[in-house]
Amino acid sequence: MTSETAAAGSTADQVDGLPPSPAVWCSGLRKRYGRQTAVDDVSFTVARGEVLGLLGPNGAGKTSVIKMLLGLVRPDAGEVLLLGRRASDPRSRSAVGYLPELFRYQPWLTAAEVLDLHVKLARVDVGASERRECLALVGLADRAGDRVGGFSKGMQQRLGLAVALVARPELVVLDEPTSALDPLGRVDVRDLVLSLRSRGVTVLLNSHLIGEVERVCDRVVILDKGRVAASGTLAELLGQREVRLRLGAADGRVEDRLRAAGALSRSGDWFTVALPADDDGVTVPDLVRDLVGLGVRVHAVEPVRISLEERLLAVLRHEEPAP
Amino acid sequence: MTALTVAGLTVREAARRRVVWALLVLTVVLLALSAWGFSKLIGLDTELGTMTSGEARLVASLLLNLIMFGYSLIAAIGTAFLAGPTVAGEVESGQALALLARPVRRSAVLFGKWLGLVAFGCGYVVLAGLAQILVVRTVVGYWPPAPVAGLALLAAETIVLLTLALLLSSVVSTMASGIVAVGLFGATWVAGVVGGLGAALGNEGVARVGTVSRVLLPTDGLWRGAMNAFQDPVALVQMGPGEGGFPFLSDAPLTPAYLAWAVVWVAVVWGLTALSFQRRDV
């Protein structure tokens, strides 16, 4: 072996040893439309196999961010890497499936022909049976030969899901995937995202349905007015649990004990203690035991869990500092 | 590969949207009408008596050019209105989103669309034109001096116009691009006629209007070249001096320099379209 090939071999080993690049990496994305700033300094990462939820009010810049990631909109500033390649390189989208918010497919083609077209454009060898399975997965198996022009909005959105999934993607970007679907369709999409996650496919999900996001996402990025208002894992964002206690005849010693467990607030005989994020489940039982030991009457102990919706509203209304 | 896929899609769109059928019906009607008209031409009595064979050839030349202009107009309007929805329409409707998010270069997608439109527009002009020439030959026995060159120039005229429509469609809305392209096509033709009249009357200033418009948009220049290939060479002589401004006769074949300019024009406009489409947010 020459020294050159030896060097090349060791470089390959080094590359093999590296962790895979994130599915999505973007830094400092900015976009202005006229005088309106749509996206302002947005940076985030989606790890391989992760399901990331993009949340935010209307006009927060979610769709603009997604379009910049996919090279559909040119950012005024910032960089994007998709599956390890620069977004300016079309090959970065080789293993990307995308369901746009505005889902429209060639009305003069049949559902099966739309999938054929996308398989060809993606240059992936997907057999006819796999394409049929993909249509069956979204509930369109018996409409494969029908023209898209005759499809309802919900069916077109289902077709869009099939298009996003057909070319064996490693990253699936779903922009409001349930906007035209009935409750049953929404459950289907949720199951679909969970099945993608179980197969190690990365999913970037933009949805107004916070409940859906909370059920399927590992991490959440909250956008507001074009900026990242908060981001983190669901545990980080919702981790701040509280416990409410109604105590009779609490004195200074009792309050000191409560403070030792976490930040304390009081309203009449109701005491609210913010529990630490790394609570291992013994803080509350220990607290109650000690309070009883101090001779206090414990009338009620209620766990308070913050929902993602409350958290989102609090972040958007600037009621608490973003983590 | 991407370009061929998109070209196939564009041709299929034209076929599925019944554009082909509409054109087929229109063309068959035109062919039948022209066959009937030409058959009446034989043995036509004029004030001066029965038409001589030379006169009949002149009239056949004129009518053939007139009908060919009809086909080029149909092809022009057809391709302009097909090219419009191609970029602007797909971006407006959202169809472009899923397509352009695939690992494709936008220039390849654009080239595919252009190729599909070229195949469709040129295919139509050549087939309809050929059918018309055969009808004229069958009915009055007139065969144009250079039918291949004539049909090729008609096809080139179609390419120029659809390239322009594609550029317009990448910068303005669907409707606007079709209307502006056809409007410019018509304006250039009128400018060509005005320029011809200027030349016939010996007014250089007016003649220059035609020359300049033919350089800015080569549709009229190519059309004049096509007419020259279709018409009987003695027709102009028979028309006599001072009739050079007649809109359905052309006094000279195209120069290689003009043809080269038409090729450069198409390349430059295509390049501008690709540049504009590359930078466009969808």
Side-chain angles (χ1 to χ4, degrees), chain A residues 109-183:
Chain A
L109 292 180
T110 66
E113 286 170 340
V114 170
L115 289 201
D116 296 350
L117 170 69
H118 281 267
V119 165
K120 264 191 205 165
L121 291 176
R123 295 193 196 106
V124 181
D125 189 19
V126 178
S129 63
E130 200 176 329
R131 279 176 259 168
R132 270 198 302 276
E133 276 170 30
C134 195
L135 277 177
L137 191 69
V138 296
L140 289 178
D142 52 347
R143 303 298 299 264
D146 293 352
R147 294 257 177 108
V148 177
F151 279 17
S152 69
K153 273 193 113 180
M155 283 163 66
Q156 288 205 33
Q157 194 160 35
R158 284 173 181 273
L159 175 64
L161 279 167
V163 167
L165 303 176
V166 72
R168 299 192 200 120
E170 291 169 35
L171 164 65
V172 175
V173 180
L174 304 175
D175 196 352
E176 296 289 355
T178 54
S179 59
L181 297 184
D182 54 25

Coordinates of all heavy atoms in Angstrom, one line a residue, chain A residues 109-183:
Chain A
L109 N -53.0 14.0 -14.2 CA -52.3 12.7 -14.0 C -53.2 11.9 -13.0 O -54.0 12.4 -12.2 CB -51.0 12.9 -13.4 CG -49.9 13.5 -14.2 CD1 -48.6 13.6 -13.5 CD2 -49.7 12.7 -15.5
T110 N -53.0 10.6 -13.0 CA -53.6 9.7 -12.0 C -52.7 9.7 -10.8 O -51.6 10.1 -10.9 CB -53.8 8.3 -12.5 OG1 -52.5 7.7 -12.7 CG2 -54.6 8.2 -13.8
A111 N -53.3 9.2 -9.7 CA -52.5 9.2 -8.4 C -51.3 8.3 -8.6 O -50.2 8.7 -8.2 CB -53.4 8.6 -7.3
A112 N -51.4 7.2 -9.3 CA -50.2 6.3 -9.5 C -49.2 7.0 -10.4 O -48.0 6.9 -10.2 CB -50.7 5.0 -10.2
E113 N -49.7 7.8 -11.4 CA -48.7 8.5 -12.3 C -48.0 9.6 -11.5 O -46.8 9.9 -11.8 CB -49.5 9.1 -13.5 CG -49.9 8.1 -14.5 CD -50.9 8.6 -15.5 OE1 -51.5 9.6 -15.3 OE2 -51.0 7.9 -16.6
V114 N -48.7 10.3 -10.6 CA -48.0 11.3 -9.8 C -46.8 10.6 -9.0 O -45.7 11.2 -8.9 CB -49.0 12.0 -8.8 CG1 -48.2 12.9 -7.8 CG2 -50.0 12.8 -9.6
L115 N -47.1 9.5 -8.4 CA -46.0 8.8 -7.7 C -44.9 8.3 -8.6 O -43.7 8.5 -8.3 CB -46.6 7.5 -6.9 CG -47.5 7.8 -5.7 CD1 -47.5 6.5 -4.9 CD2 -47.1 9.0 -4.9
D116 N -45.3 7.8 -9.8 CA -44.2 7.5 -10.8 C -43.3 8.6 -11.1 O -42.1 8.5 -11.2 CB -44.9 7.0 -12.1 CG -45.7 5.7 -11.9 OD1 -45.6 5.1 -10.8 OD2 -46.5 5.4 -12.8
L117 N -44.0 9.8 -11.3 CA -43.2 11.0 -11.7 C -42.2 11.3 -10.6 O -41.0 11.6 -10.8 CB -44.2 12.2 -11.9 CG -43.6 13.6 -12.0 CD1 -42.8 13.7 -13.3 CD2 -44.6 14.7 -11.9
H118 N -42.7 11.3 -9.3 CA -41.8 11.7 -8.2 C -40.7 10.6 -8.0 O -39.6 11.0 -7.6 CB -42.6 11.9 -6.9 CG -43.2 13.3 -7.0 ND1 -42.6 14.4 -6.4 CD2 -44.4 13.7 -7.6 CE1 -43.4 15.5 -6.6 NE2 -44.5 15.1 -7.3
V119 N -41.0 9.4 -8.2 CA -39.9 8.3 -8.1 C -38.9 8.6 -9.2 O -37.7 8.5 -8.9 CB -40.6 6.9 -8.3 CG1 -39.5 5.9 -8.5 CG2 -41.4 6.6 -7.1
K120 N -39.3 8.9 -10.4 CA -38.3 9.2 -11.5 C -37.5 10.4 -11.1 O -36.3 10.4 -11.3 CB -39.1 9.6 -12.8 CG -39.3 8.4 -13.7 CD -39.8 8.9 -15.0 CE -40.5 7.8 -15.7 NZ -41.3 8.3 -16.9
L121 N -38.1 11.5 -10.6 CA -37.4 12.7 -10.3 C -36.4 12.5 -9.2 O -35.3 13.1 -9.1 CB -38.3 13.9 -10.0 CG -39.2 14.4 -11.2 CD1 -40.2 15.5 -10.7 CD2 -38.3 15.0 -12.2
A122 N -36.8 11.6 -8.2 CA -35.9 11.3 -7.1 C -34.8 10.4 -7.5 O -33.9 10.1 -6.7 CB -36.8 10.8 -5.9
R123 N -34.9 9.8 -8.7 CA -33.9 8.8 -9.2 C -33.7 7.7 -8.2 O -32.6 7.3 -7.8 CB -32.6 9.5 -9.4 CG -32.7 10.5 -10.5 CD -31.3 10.9 -11.0 NE -31.5 12.1 -11.8 CZ -31.1 13.3 -11.4 NH1 -30.5 13.4 -10.2 NH2 -31.2 14.4 -12.1
V124 N -34.9 7.1 -7.7 CA -34.8 6.0 -6.8 C -35.5 4.8 -7.4 O -36.6 5.1 -8.1 CB -35.5 6.3 -5.4 CG1 -35.4 5.2 -4.5 CG2 -34.9 7.6 -4.8
D125 N -35.0 3.6 -7.3 CA -35.6 2.5 -7.9 C -36.7 1.9 -7.0 O -36.4 1.1 -6.1 CB -34.5 1.5 -8.2 CG -35.1 0.3 -9.1 OD1 -36.1 0.5 -9.7 OD2 -34.4 -0.8 -9.1
V126 N -37.9 2.4 -7.1 CA -39.0 1.9 -6.3 C -39.9 1.1 -7.2 O -40.4 1.6 -8.2 CB -39.7 3.1 -5.6 CG1 -40.9 2.6 -4.8 CG2 -38.8 3.9 -4.8
G127 N -40.1 -0.2 -6.8 CA -40.9 -1.0 -7.6 C -42.4 -0.7 -7.6 O -42.9 0.1 -6.8
A128 N -43.2 -1.2 -8.6 CA -44.6 -0.9 -8.7 C -45.4 -1.3 -7.4 O -46.3 -0.6 -7.0 CB -45.2 -1.6 -9.9
S129 N -45.0 -2.5 -6.9 CA -45.7 -3.0 -5.7 C -45.5 -2.1 -4.5 O -46.4 -1.8 -3.7 CB -45.3 -4.4 -5.4 OG -43.9 -4.4 -5.0
E130 N -44.2 -1.5 -4.4 CA -43.9 -0.6 -3.3 C -44.7 0.7 -3.4 O -45.2 1.3 -2.4 CB -42.4 -0.4 -3.3 CG -41.9 0.2 -1.9 CD -40.4 0.3 -1.9 OE1 -39.7 -0.4 -2.5 OE2 -40.0 1.2 -1.2
R131 N -44.9 1.1 -4.7 CA -45.6 2.3 -4.9 C -47.1 2.1 -4.6 O -47.7 3.0 -4.0 CB -45.5 2.8 -6.4 CG -44.2 3.5 -6.7 CD -44.0 3.8 -8.1 NE -43.1 2.9 -8.8 CZ -43.0 2.8 -10.1 NH1 -43.7 3.5 -10.9 NH2 -42.2 1.9 -10.6
R132 N -47.6 1.0 -4.9 CA -49.0 0.6 -4.6 C -49.2 0.6 -3.1 O -50.1 1.1 -2.5 CB -49.4 -0.7 -5.2 CG -50.0 -0.6 -6.6 CD -50.8 -1.9 -7.0 NE -49.9 -3.1 -6.9 CZ -49.1 -3.5 -7.9 NH1 -49.1 -2.8 -9.0 NH2 -48.4 -4.6 -7.8
E133 N -48.2 0.0 -2.4 CA -48.3 -0.1 -0.9 C -48.3 1.3 -0.3 O -49.0 1.6 0.7 CB -47.0 -0.8 -0.4 CG -47.2 -2.3 -0.4 CD -45.8 -3.0 -0.1 OE1 -45.0 -2.4 0.7 OE2 -45.6 -4.1 -0.6
C134 N -47.5 2.2 -0.9 CA -47.4 3.6 -0.4 C -48.8 4.3 -0.6 O -49.2 5.0 0.4 CB -46.4 4.3 -1.2 SG -45.9 5.9 -0.5
L135 N -49.5 4.0 -1.7 CA -50.8 4.6 -1.8 C -51.8 4.0 -0.8 O -52.7 4.6 -0.3 CB -51.3 4.4 -3.3 CG -50.9 5.4 -4.3 CD1 -51.4 5.0 -5.7 CD2 -51.3 6.8 -4.0
A136 N -51.6 2.6 -0.6 CA -52.5 2.0 0.3 C -52.3 2.5 1.7 O -53.2 2.6 2.5 CB -52.2 0.5 0.3
L137 N -51.0 2.9 2.1 CA -50.7 3.4 3.4 C -51.5 4.6 3.7 O -51.8 4.9 4.9 CB -49.2 3.7 3.4 CG -48.5 4.0 4.7 CD1 -48.5 2.7 5.6 CD2 -47.1 4.5 4.6
V138 N -51.8 5.5 2.7 CA -52.5 6.7 2.9 C -54.0 6.5 2.6 O -54.7 7.5 2.5 CB -51.9 7.9 2.1 CG1 -50.5 8.2 2.6 CG2 -51.9 7.6 0.6
G139 N -54.4 5.3 2.3 CA -55.8 5.0 2.1 C -56.3 5.4 0.7 O -57.5 5.6 0.5
L140 N -55.4 5.3 -0.3 CA -55.8 5.6 -1.7 C -55.6 4.4 -2.6 O -55.5 4.6 -3.9 CB -55.0 6.8 -2.2 CG -55.3 8.2 -1.7 CD1 -54.3 9.3 -2.2 CD2 -56.7 8.6 -1.9
A141 N -55.5 3.2 -2.1 CA -55.2 2.1 -2.9 C -56.2 1.9 -4.0 O -55.9 1.6 -5.2 CB -55.2 0.8 -2.0
D142 N -57.5 2.1 -3.7 CA -58.5 1.9 -4.8 C -58.7 3.1 -5.7 O -59.6 3.1 -6.5 CB -59.9 1.5 -4.1 CG -60.3 2.4 -3.0 OD1 -59.4 3.3 -2.6 OD2 -61.4 2.4 -2.6
R143 N -57.9 4.2 -5.5 CA -58.1 5.4 -6.3 C -56.8 5.6 -7.2 O -56.7 6.6 -7.8 CB -58.3 6.6 -5.5 CG -59.5 6.6 -4.6 CD -60.8 6.4 -5.4 NE -61.1 7.5 -6.3 CZ -61.9 8.5 -6.0 NH1 -62.5 8.6 -4.8 NH2 -62.1 9.5 -6.9
A144 N -56.0 4.6 -7.2 CA -54.7 4.7 -7.9 C -54.8 5.1 -9.4 O -54.0 5.9 -9.9 CB -53.9 3.4 -7.8
G145 N -55.9 4.6 -10.0 CA -56.0 4.9 -11.5 C -56.9 6.1 -11.8 O -57.2 6.4 -12.9
D146 N -57.3 6.8 -10.7 CA -58.2 8.0 -10.9 C -57.4 9.3 -11.1 O -56.3 9.5 -10.4 CB -59.2 8.2 -9.7 CG -60.2 7.0 -9.7 OD1 -60.2 6.2 -10.6 OD2 -60.9 6.9 -8.7
R147 N -57.9 10.2 -11.9 CA -57.2 11.5 -12.1 C -57.3 12.3 -10.8 O -58.3 12.4 -10.2 CB -57.9 12.3 -13.2 CG -57.8 11.6 -14.6 CD -56.7 12.4 -15.4 NE -56.6 11.7 -16.7 CZ -57.0 12.2 -17.9 NH1 -57.6 13.3 -17.9 NH2 -56.8 11.5 -19.0
V148 N -56.2 13.0 -10.5 CA -56.1 13.8 -9.3 C -57.1 15.0 -9.3 O -57.6 15.4 -8.3 CB -54.6 14.3 -9.2 CG1 -54.5 15.2 -8.0 CG2 -53.7 13.2 -9.1
G149 N -57.4 15.4 -10.6 CA -58.4 16.5 -10.7 C -59.7 16.3 -10.0 O -60.4 17.2 -9.6
G150 N -60.1 15.0 -9.9 CA -61.4 14.6 -9.3 C -61.3 14.3 -7.8 O -62.3 14.0 -7.2
F151 N -60.1 14.6 -7.2 CA -59.9 14.3 -5.8 C -60.4 15.4 -4.9 O -60.3 16.6 -5.3 CB -58.4 14.0 -5.5 CG -57.9 12.7 -5.9 CD1 -58.6 11.8 -6.7 CD2 -56.7 12.2 -5.4 CE1 -58.1 10.6 -7.1 CE2 -56.2 11.0 -5.7 CZ -56.9 10.2 -6.5
S152 N -60.9 15.0 -3.7 CA -61.3 16.1 -2.7 C -60.0 16.6 -2.1 O -58.9 16.0 -2.3 CB -62.1 15.5 -1.6 OG -61.3 14.6 -0.9
K153 N -60.1 17.7 -1.4 CA -58.9 18.3 -0.8 C -58.2 17.3 0.2 O -57.0 17.1 0.2 CB -59.2 19.5 0.0 CG -59.2 20.8 -0.8 CD -59.3 22.0 0.1 CE -58.0 22.8 -0.1 NZ -58.0 24.0 0.7
G154 N -59.0 16.6 1.0 CA -58.4 15.6 1.9 C -57.7 14.5 1.1 O -56.6 14.1 1.6
M155 N -58.3 14.0 0.0 CA -57.6 13.0 -0.8 C -56.3 13.5 -1.4 O -55.3 12.8 -1.5 CB -58.5 12.5 -1.8 CG -59.6 11.5 -1.3 SD -60.9 11.3 -2.4 CE -60.1 10.5 -3.7
Q156 N -56.3 14.8 -1.8 CA -55.1 15.3 -2.4 C -54.0 15.4 -1.3 O -52.8 15.2 -1.6 CB -55.4 16.7 -3.0 CG -56.2 16.7 -4.2 CD -56.0 17.9 -5.1 OE1 -54.9 18.4 -5.2 NE2 -57.0 18.3 -5.8
Q157 N -54.4 15.7 -0.1 CA -53.4 15.8 1.0 C -52.9 14.4 1.3 O -51.7 14.2 1.6 CB -54.0 16.4 2.3 CG -52.9 16.8 3.2 CD -53.4 17.9 4.2 OE1 -54.6 17.9 4.7 NE2 -52.5 18.8 4.6
R158 N -53.8 13.4 1.2 CA -53.3 12.0 1.4 C -52.3 11.6 0.3 O -51.3 11.0 0.6 CB -54.5 11.1 1.4 CG -55.3 11.1 2.7 CD -56.6 10.3 2.6 NE -57.3 10.3 3.8 CZ -57.2 9.5 4.8 NH1 -56.3 8.5 4.8 NH2 -57.9 9.6 5.9
L159 N -52.6 12.1 -0.9 CA -51.7 11.8 -2.0 C -50.4 12.5 -1.8 O -49.3 11.9 -2.0 CB -52.3 12.3 -3.3 CG -51.4 12.2 -4.6 CD1 -51.1 10.7 -4.9 CD2 -52.1 12.8 -5.8
G160 N -50.5 13.7 -1.2 CA -49.2 14.5 -0.9 C -48.4 13.7 0.1 O -47.1 13.7 0.0
L161 N -49.0 13.1 1.1 CA -48.3 12.2 2.0 C -47.6 11.1 1.3 O -46.4 10.8 1.6 CB -49.3 11.7 3.1 CG -49.6 12.6 4.2 CD1 -50.8 12.1 5.0 CD2 -48.5 12.9 5.1
A162 N -48.3 10.4 0.4 CA -47.8 9.3 -0.4 C -46.6 9.8 -1.2 O -45.5 9.1 -1.2 CB -48.8 8.7 -1.3
V163 N -46.7 11.0 -1.8 CA -45.6 11.6 -2.6 C -44.4 11.8 -1.7 O -43.2 11.5 -2.0 CB -46.0 12.9 -3.2 CG1 -44.8 13.6 -3.8 CG2 -47.0 12.6 -4.4
A164 N -44.6 12.3 -0.4 CA -43.5 12.5 0.5 C -42.8 11.3 0.9 O -41.7 11.3 1.3 CB -44.1 13.3 1.7
L165 N -43.6 10.2 0.9 CA -43.0 8.9 1.5 C -42.5 7.9 0.4 O -41.8 7.0 0.8 CB -44.1 8.2 2.3 CG -44.7 9.0 3.5 CD1 -45.8 8.2 4.1 CD2 -43.6 9.4 4.5
V166 N -42.9 8.2 -0.8 CA -42.7 7.1 -1.8 C -41.2 6.8 -2.2 O -40.9 5.7 -2.5 CB -43.5 7.4 -3.1 CG1 -42.8 8.6 -3.9 CG2 -43.6 6.2 -4.0
A167 N -40.3 7.8 -2.1 CA -39.0 7.6 -2.6 C -38.0 7.2 -1.4 O -36.8 7.6 -1.4 CB -38.5 8.8 -3.3
R168 N -38.5 6.4 -0.5 CA -37.7 6.0 0.7 C -36.9 7.1 1.3 O -35.7 7.1 1.3 CB -36.8 4.8 0.2 CG -37.5 3.6 -0.3 CD -36.6 2.5 -0.5 NE -37.1 1.5 -1.4 CZ -36.5 1.1 -2.5 NH1 -35.3 1.6 -2.8 NH2 -37.1 0.3 -3.3
P169 N -37.6 8.1 1.8 CA -36.9 9.2 2.4 C -36.2 9.0 3.7 O -36.6 8.1 4.5 CB -38.0 10.3 2.6 CG -39.2 9.5 2.8 CD -39.0 8.2 2.0
E170 N -35.1 9.7 4.0 CA -34.4 9.7 5.3 C -34.9 10.8 6.1 O -34.8 10.8 7.3 CB -32.9 9.7 5.1 CG -32.3 8.5 4.5 CD -30.8 8.7 4.1 OE1 -30.1 9.5 4.9 OE2 -30.4 8.2 3.1
L171 N -35.4 11.8 5.4 CA -36.0 13.0 6.1 C -37.3 13.4 5.5 O -37.4 13.5 4.2 CB -35.0 14.2 5.9 CG -35.6 15.6 6.3 CD1 -35.9 15.7 7.7 CD2 -34.6 16.7 5.9
V172 N -38.4 13.5 6.3 CA -39.7 13.8 5.8 C -40.1 15.2 6.4 O -40.0 15.3 7.6 CB -40.7 12.7 6.1 CG1 -42.1 13.1 5.7 CG2 -40.4 11.4 5.5
V173 N -40.5 16.1 5.5 CA -40.9 17.4 6.0 C -42.4 17.5 5.7 O -42.8 17.5 4.6 CB -40.1 18.5 5.2 CG1 -40.5 19.9 5.7 CG2 -38.6 18.3 5.4
L174 N -43.1 17.7 6.8 CA -44.6 17.7 6.7 C -45.1 19.1 7.1 O -44.9 19.5 8.3 CB -45.3 16.6 7.5 CG -44.8 15.2 7.2 CD1 -45.5 14.2 8.2 CD2 -45.2 14.8 5.8
D175 N -45.6 19.9 6.2 CA -46.0 21.3 6.5 C -47.6 21.2 6.6 O -48.3 21.1 5.6 CB -45.6 22.2 5.4 CG -45.7 23.7 5.8 OD1 -46.2 23.9 6.9 OD2 -45.2 24.5 5.1
E176 N -48.1 21.3 7.8 CA -49.5 21.2 8.1 C -50.1 20.0 7.4 O -51.0 20.1 6.6 CB -50.2 22.5 7.6 CG -49.8 23.8 8.3 CD -50.3 23.8 9.7 OE1 -51.0 23.0 10.1 OE2 -49.9 24.8 10.4
P177 N -49.7 18.8 7.8 CA -50.1 17.6 7.1 C -51.6 17.2 7.3 O -52.1 16.4 6.6 CB -49.2 16.5 7.6 CG -48.8 17.0 9.0 CD -48.7 18.5 8.9
T178 N -52.2 17.8 8.3 CA -53.6 17.4 8.6 C -54.6 18.5 8.4 O -55.8 18.4 8.8 CB -53.7 16.9 10.1 OG1 -53.2 18.0 10.9 CG2 -52.9 15.7 10.4
S179 N -54.2 19.6 7.7 CA -55.1 20.7 7.6 C -56.4 20.4 6.8 O -57.4 21.0 7.1 CB -54.3 21.9 6.8 OG -53.9 21.4 5.6
A180 N -56.4 19.4 5.9 CA -57.6 19.1 5.2 C -58.2 17.8 5.6 O -59.1 17.3 4.9 CB -57.3 19.1 3.7
L181 N -57.7 17.2 6.6 CA -58.1 15.8 7.0 C -59.1 15.8 8.1 O -59.2 16.7 8.9 CB -56.9 15.0 7.4 CG -55.8 14.8 6.4 CD1 -54.7 13.9 6.9 CD2 -56.4 14.2 5.1
D182 N -60.0 14.8 8.0 CA -61.0 14.6 9.1 C -60.3 13.9 10.3 O -59.1 13.6 10.2 CB -62.1 13.7 8.5 CG -61.6 12.4 8.0 OD1 -60.5 12.0 8.4 OD2 -62.3 11.8 7.1
P183 N -61.0 13.8 11.4 CA -60.3 13.3 12.7 C -59.7 12.0 12.4 O -58.6 11.7 13.0 CB -61.5 13.2 13.6 CG -62.5 14.2 13.2 CD -62.4 14.3 11.7

